[in-house]
């Protein structure tokens, strides 16, 4: 049987996948996601994504350390961990607000304004974190 | 005294105070007068004043001073007790003051009359309960008695306390047994019946274990009488009792005067910390992703080629570096006040430069 080749959202690879297997497997979905990400995402957002990945790994390492050696002193662990969590959140905010696809939602907030908020929030965050770290 | 104006300037309303002299609010056989003094705030007696007793009644209704003028004058007055009756009395005084003086706030004096009492109609009886025979019956007229008691003995000690002809009940009436060897005391409270006769009724079969702790030996028996209306407490030696208890126990050692065990303070043990090697490894592990980030940024092509070297740019980036330096200083031990003070200045500069820089970038983007 010949599958009709319709032009539409899905590229050729996807239709090939569907026609050959019937339903996409996990590996196919992941590789498709990776390709789309690489091609469609602007460079600025990829930079922010790399930063977010770094923050997350730092948080995970701190958490693993705490699980290994215990929570004393608890305030230090909390301040470090929450610093990573909050930095991640601020990074995500920056990413959302500087995504060109979202300009309709953030009409009044330019990318520069988002960046300025990001910097200011980080200044306050690090002051508090350094105070709490003990 | 010299230097003080003894004639208080007579303005209307100088207050006066009533003072009891010589501790005379306690009337006894040797001290029968109440002496009071009326003084001004400087402590100088008020001349040309007179005092009188308005009433001086006790709780029983009897009066210790007859109502009437007090003798003396020129601020110092006294009155003698008409009849000495034991008790606490409230004497109300009245004053006639020269013009310009206020009567004292408190013109009521609490007077206590103390008189001794006597032991009357005492009987000290030791009865053998099993044989129903009287071992000892003494009226204590010849002083303290000697007696022997064992578990089958019953002690009955009756007496009354008399003030002259009348029997009285007083506040504290105890019989004390003191072990002559160990000096330990056993107290019993004497109860008075309606006829004001005190009784101690002790059955040694139960009391030996309950009150004496089964400690036998020689005990001296004293009667102790105390009350607010007695000039001093009475301690009367009643008897010496030899208490025989089979299986007499040794009294518990008195540890109160021996050294207690020494306390060594246990300081708080510090919390267990991980070995330094593990901490160092994880410090390195935490810093490693930063390197990875720089490598990834380089791979993605992030660069600073577009940076303009303008005043606002230098101000903004310099300000951010200064803030980081202030934070590092804060972490190294500078207190929060200094940090925030430095931060305030730098933050203002950074904010202004940043705002100018970012708006110029936004404007340049819009123009493109």
């Amino acid at each position: 049987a010949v599958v009709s080749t319709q032009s539409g959202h899905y590229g050729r690879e996807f239709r090939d996948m569907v026609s050959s297997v019937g339903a996409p497997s996990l590996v196919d979905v992941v590789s498709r996601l990776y390709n789309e990400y690489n091609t469609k995402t602007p460079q600025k957002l990829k930079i922010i994504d790399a930063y977010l990945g770094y923050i997350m790994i730092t948080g995970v390492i701190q958490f693993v350390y705490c699980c290994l050696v215990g929570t004393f002193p608890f305030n230090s662990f909390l301040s470090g961990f929450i610093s990573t969590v909050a930095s991640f959140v601020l990074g995500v905010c920056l990413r959302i607000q500087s995504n060109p696809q979202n300009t309709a939602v953030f009409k009044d907030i330019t990318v520069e304004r988002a960046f300025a908020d990001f910097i200011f929030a980080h200044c306050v965050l690090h002051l508090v974190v350094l105070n709490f770290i003990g | 005294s010299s230097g003080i104006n003894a004639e208080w300037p007579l303005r209307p309303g100088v207050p006066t105070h009533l003072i009891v002299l010589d501790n005379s609010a306690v009337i006894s056989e040797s001290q029968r007068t109440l002496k009071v003094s009326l003084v001004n705030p400087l402590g100088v007696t008020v001349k040309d004043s007179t005092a009188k007793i308005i009433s001086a009644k006790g709780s029983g209704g009897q009066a210790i001073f007859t109502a009437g003028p007090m003798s003396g004058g020129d601020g110092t007055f006294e009155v003698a007790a008409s009849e000495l009756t034991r008790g606490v009395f409230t004497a109300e005084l009245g004053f006639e003051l020269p013009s310009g003086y206020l009567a004292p706030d408190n013109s009521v004096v609490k007077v206590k009359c103390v008189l001794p009492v006597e032991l009357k109609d005492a009987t000290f009886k030791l009865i053998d309960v099993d044989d129903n025979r009287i071992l000892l019956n003494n009226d204590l007229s010849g002083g303290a008695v000697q007696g022997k008691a064992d578990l089958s003995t019953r002690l009955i000690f009756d007496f009354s306390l008399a003030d002259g002809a009348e029997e009285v009940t007083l506040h504290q009436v105890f019989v004390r047994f003191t072990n002559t060897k160990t000096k330990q005391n056993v107290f019993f409270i004497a109860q008075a019946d309606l006829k004001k006769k005190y009784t101690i009724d002790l059955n040694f079969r139960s009391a030996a274990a309950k009150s004496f702790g089964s400690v036998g030996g020689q005990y001296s028996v004293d009667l102790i009488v105390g009350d607010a209306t007695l000039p001093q407490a009475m301690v009367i030696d009643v008897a010496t009792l030899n208490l025989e208890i089979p299986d007499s126990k040794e009294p518990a050692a008195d540890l109160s005067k021996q050294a207690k065990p020494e306390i060594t303070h246990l300081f708080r043990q510090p919390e267990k910390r991980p070995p330094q090697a593990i901490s160092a490894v994880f410090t390195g592990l935490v810093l490693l992703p930063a390197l990875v980030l720089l490598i990834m940024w380089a791979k993605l092509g992030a660069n600073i080629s577009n940076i303009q070297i303008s005043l606002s740019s230098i101000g903004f980036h310099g300000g951010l570096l200064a803030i980081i330096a202030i934070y590092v200083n804060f972490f190294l031990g500078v207190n929060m006040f200094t940090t925030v003070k430095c931060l305030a200045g730098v933050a203002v500069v950074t904010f202004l430069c940043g705002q100018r820089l970012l708006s110029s970038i936004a404007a340049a983007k819009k123009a493109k």
Side-chain angles (χ1 to χ4, degrees):
Chain A
V2 175
V3 177
S4 58
T5 56
Q6 288 172 350
S7 64
H9 294 296
Y10 305 110
R12 221 179 43 205
E13 307 96 43
F14 186 64
R15 279 183 275 121
D16 288 342
M17 272 195 286
V18 172
S19 59
S20 58
V21 191
S25 70
L26 183 64
V27 175
D28 298 331
V29 171
V30 169
S31 66
R32 165 90 181 175
L33 174 69
Y34 182 68
N35 287 332
E36 288 263 330
Y37 178 79
N38 263 341
T39 48
K40 296 276 179 62
T41 319
Q43 185 207 28
K44 284 214 176 111
L45 296 187
K46 282 196 202 160
I47 293 175
I48 298 181
D49 289 338
Y51 169 72
L52 291 176
Y54 150 68
I55 293 286
M56 195 172 78
I57 292 178
T58 311
V60 165
I61 293 176
Q62 286 186 40
F63 189 74
V64 165
Y65 178 70
C66 172
C67 289
L68 272 182
V69 302
T71 57
F72 184 79
F74 196 47
N75 58 308
S76 305
F77 161 65
L78 268 186
S79 79
F81 190 66
I82 287 174
S83 163
T84 58
V85 168
S87 302
F88 189 84
V89 168
L90 289 172
V92 166
C93 287
L94 179 64
R95 190 190 197 280
I96 290 176
Q97 287 177 339
S98 43
N99 196 342
Q101 290 179 329
N102 285 343
T103 42
V105 180
F106 297 107
K107 275 191 281 279
D108 299 326
I109 304 178
T110 59
V111 178
E112 286 74 29
R113 171 63 197 277
F115 181 66
D117 289 342
F118 174 80
I119 295 288
F120 174 68
H122 262 284
C123 287
V124 175
L125 171 70
H126 287 298
L127 182 64
V128 173
V129 160
L130 282 177
N131 187 29
F132 192 52
I133 208 165
Chain B
S1 51
S2 64
I4 298 178
N5 185 6
E7 296 290 334
W8 184 269
L10 281 181
R11 297 191 292 274
V14 176
T16 54
H17 301 284
L18 182 65
I19 301 178
V20 172
L21 299 172
D22 299 334
N23 213 15
S24 59
V26 178
I27 306 285
S28 58
E29 270 166 7
S30 50
Q31 158 79 296
R32 297 175 87 111
T33 47
L34 169 69
K35 299 187 191 142
V36 294
S37 176
L38 192 66
V39 297
N40 69 11
L42 286 178
V44 178
T45 49
V46 177
K47 295 205 203 327
D48 302 329
S49 51
T50 59
K52 65 176 193 287
I53 299 275
I54 299 176
S55 72
K57 289 240 167 62
S59 53
Q62 69 284 46
I64 186 165
F65 304 117
T66 46
M70 291 174 81
S71 57
D74 271 352
T76 313
F77 311 100
E78 63 178 53
V79 62
S82 50
E83 213 182 287
L84 287 185
T85 33
R86 169 185 324 179
V88 179
F89 303 84
T90 331
E92 203 183 323
L93 283 70
F95 297 95
E96 261 177 37
L97 299 162
S99 66
Y101 285 97
L102 283 178
D105 269 345
N106 190 13
S107 52
V108 166
V109 181
K110 243 199 171 87
V111 178
K112 189 168 77 163
C113 181
V114 296
L115 291 173
V117 293
E118 283 174 348
L119 188 66
K120 208 172 82 164
D121 297 337
T123 40
F124 190 86
K125 266 201 276 226
L126 286 172
I127 304 172
D128 191 320
V129 175
D130 297 335
D131 299 341
N132 214 352
R133 105 194 122 84
I134 298 183
L135 300 168
L136 177 65
N137 191 344
N138 193 300
D139 64 353
L140 298 182
S141 54
V145 294
Q146 293 266 6
K148 220 190 310 206
D150 57 22
L151 284 184
S152 59
T153 312
R154 181 176 169 198
L155 161 65
I156 303 181
F157 178 32
D158 297 325
F159 58 95
S160 55
L161 300 166
D163 177 11
E166 197 193 320
E167 271 115 34
V168 291
T169 48
L170 293 179
H171 197 204
Q172 295 169 331
V173 184
F174 307 134
V175 171
R176 175 181 69 186
F177 288 74
T178 311
N179 191 318
T180 41
K181 197 168 69 170
T182 66
K183 305 280 179 269
Q184 289 177 316
N185 296 327
V186 185
F187 285 90
F188 297 95
I189 304 176
Q191 308 282 5
D193 60 16
L194 291 167
K195 296 212 196 76
K196 305 204 177 161
K197 193 163 183 66
Y198 283 95
T199 316
I200 291 270
D201 193 341
L202 210 58
N203 197 324
F204 279 103
R205 194 174 296 281
S206 51
K210 196 168 82 162
S211 310
F212 288 84
S214 296
V215 178
Q218 200 172 53
Y219 283 88
S220 69
V221 186
D222 301 311
L223 174 65
I224 302 176
V225 179
D227 193 78
T229 56
L230 289 183
Q232 65 245 18
M234 289 172 25
V235 181
I236 301 172
D237 193 4
V238 170
T240 315
L241 204 60
N242 208 332
L243 187 59
E244 287 169 2
I245 302 179
D247 307 324
S248 159
K249 295 206 180 89
E250 278 303 311
D254 181 15
L255 292 173
S256 60
K257 298 207 172 61
Q258 292 174 336
K260 293 244 180 2
E262 190 167 326
I263 307 171
T264 47
H265 180 75
L266 195 65
F267 287 96
R268 191 173 71 121
Q269 304 293 345
E271 300 260 352
K272 261 184 55 178
R273 299 287 201 130
Q276 234 177 341
I278 296 188
S279 301
V281 163
F282 270 91
T283 311
L285 270 183
V286 158
L287 295 173
L288 201 59
L291 280 175
V292 173
L293 177 68
L294 288 174
I295 296 173
M296 289 208 60
W297 273 352
K299 271 184 65 183
L300 284 170
N303 54 43
I304 51 171
S305 55
N306 228 2
I307 197 170
Q308 308 134 327
I309 307 184
S310 66
L311 189 62
S312 358
S313 162
I314 297 176
F316 180 59
H317 293 96
L320 283 182
L321 286 175
I323 289 181
I324 293 176
I326 292 175
Y327 284 176
V328 167
N329 222 7
F330 174 54
F331 180 68
L332 291 176
V334 176
N335 64 26
M336 182 60 110
F337 299 108
T338 321
T339 308
V340 171
K341 264 190 268 190
C342 298
L343 204 56
V346 175
V348 167
V349 170
T350 314
F351 174 74
L352 290 171
C353 295
Q355 199 218 7
R356 283 181 63 186
L357 178 67
L358 289 172
S359 8
S360 69
I361 295 179
K365 231 197 239 171
K366 227 179 180 173
K368 235 196 298 185

PDB file of all heavy atoms in Angstrom, chain B residues 29 34 128 172 301 322:
ATOM      1  N   GLU B  29       5.034  41.651 130.950  1.00  0.00           N
ATOM      2  CA  GLU B  29       5.032  41.996 132.375  1.00  0.00           C
ATOM      3  C   GLU B  29       6.090  43.039 132.693  1.00  0.00           C
ATOM      4  O   GLU B  29       5.906  43.860 133.589  1.00  0.00           O
ATOM      5  CB  GLU B  29       5.270  40.744 133.215  1.00  0.00           C
ATOM      6  CG  GLU B  29       3.978  40.066 133.578  1.00  0.00           C
ATOM      7  CD  GLU B  29       4.210  38.671 134.106  1.00  0.00           C
ATOM      8  OE1 GLU B  29       5.395  38.307 134.309  1.00  0.00           O
ATOM      9  OE2 GLU B  29       3.231  37.954 134.298  1.00  0.00           O
ATOM     10  N   LEU B  34       2.753  51.634 126.356  1.00  0.00           N
ATOM     11  CA  LEU B  34       2.880  51.872 124.921  1.00  0.00           C
ATOM     12  C   LEU B  34       3.379  53.296 124.752  1.00  0.00           C
ATOM     13  O   LEU B  34       2.769  54.236 125.274  1.00  0.00           O
ATOM     14  CB  LEU B  34       1.513  51.689 124.237  1.00  0.00           C
ATOM     15  CG  LEU B  34       1.421  52.151 122.787  1.00  0.00           C
ATOM     16  CD1 LEU B  34       2.241  51.239 121.896  1.00  0.00           C
ATOM     17  CD2 LEU B  34      -0.018  52.168 122.320  1.00  0.00           C
ATOM     18  N   ASP B 128       0.775  -1.293 129.677  1.00  0.00           N
ATOM     19  CA  ASP B 128       1.047  -2.514 128.907  1.00  0.00           C
ATOM     20  C   ASP B 128      -0.277  -3.018 128.356  1.00  0.00           C
ATOM     21  O   ASP B 128      -1.171  -3.387 129.096  1.00  0.00           O
ATOM     22  CB  ASP B 128       1.709  -3.560 129.821  1.00  0.00           C
ATOM     23  CG  ASP B 128       2.256  -4.718 129.000  1.00  0.00           C
ATOM     24  OD1 ASP B 128       1.577  -5.143 128.039  1.00  0.00           O
ATOM     25  OD2 ASP B 128       3.361  -5.189 129.312  1.00  0.00           O
ATOM     26  N   GLN B 172       1.408  26.125 118.623  1.00  0.00           N
ATOM     27  CA  GLN B 172       2.295  25.005 118.334  1.00  0.00           C
ATOM     28  C   GLN B 172       2.547  24.254 119.629  1.00  0.00           C
ATOM     29  O   GLN B 172       3.216  24.755 120.519  1.00  0.00           O
ATOM     30  CB  GLN B 172       3.640  25.502 117.800  1.00  0.00           C
ATOM     31  CG  GLN B 172       3.509  26.190 116.470  1.00  0.00           C
ATOM     32  CD  GLN B 172       4.788  26.912 116.090  1.00  0.00           C
ATOM     33  OE1 GLN B 172       5.534  27.353 116.951  1.00  0.00           O
ATOM     34  NE2 GLN B 172       5.042  27.017 114.808  1.00  0.00           N
ATOM     35  N   GLY B 301      29.184  28.707  20.718  1.00  0.00           N
ATOM     36  CA  GLY B 301      29.537  29.934  20.031  1.00  0.00           C
ATOM     37  C   GLY B 301      29.206  31.179  20.805  1.00  0.00           C
ATOM     38  O   GLY B 301      29.093  32.267  20.239  1.00  0.00           O
ATOM     39  N   ALA B 322      32.174  44.683  41.417  1.00  0.00           N
ATOM     40  CA  ALA B 322      32.298  45.225  42.774  1.00  0.00           C
ATOM     41  C   ALA B 322      31.315  44.560  43.715  1.00  0.00           C
ATOM     42  O   ALA B 322      31.640  44.257  44.872  1.00  0.00           O
ATOM     43  CB  ALA B 322      32.063  46.741  42.737  1.00  0.00           C
TER      44      ALA B 322
END
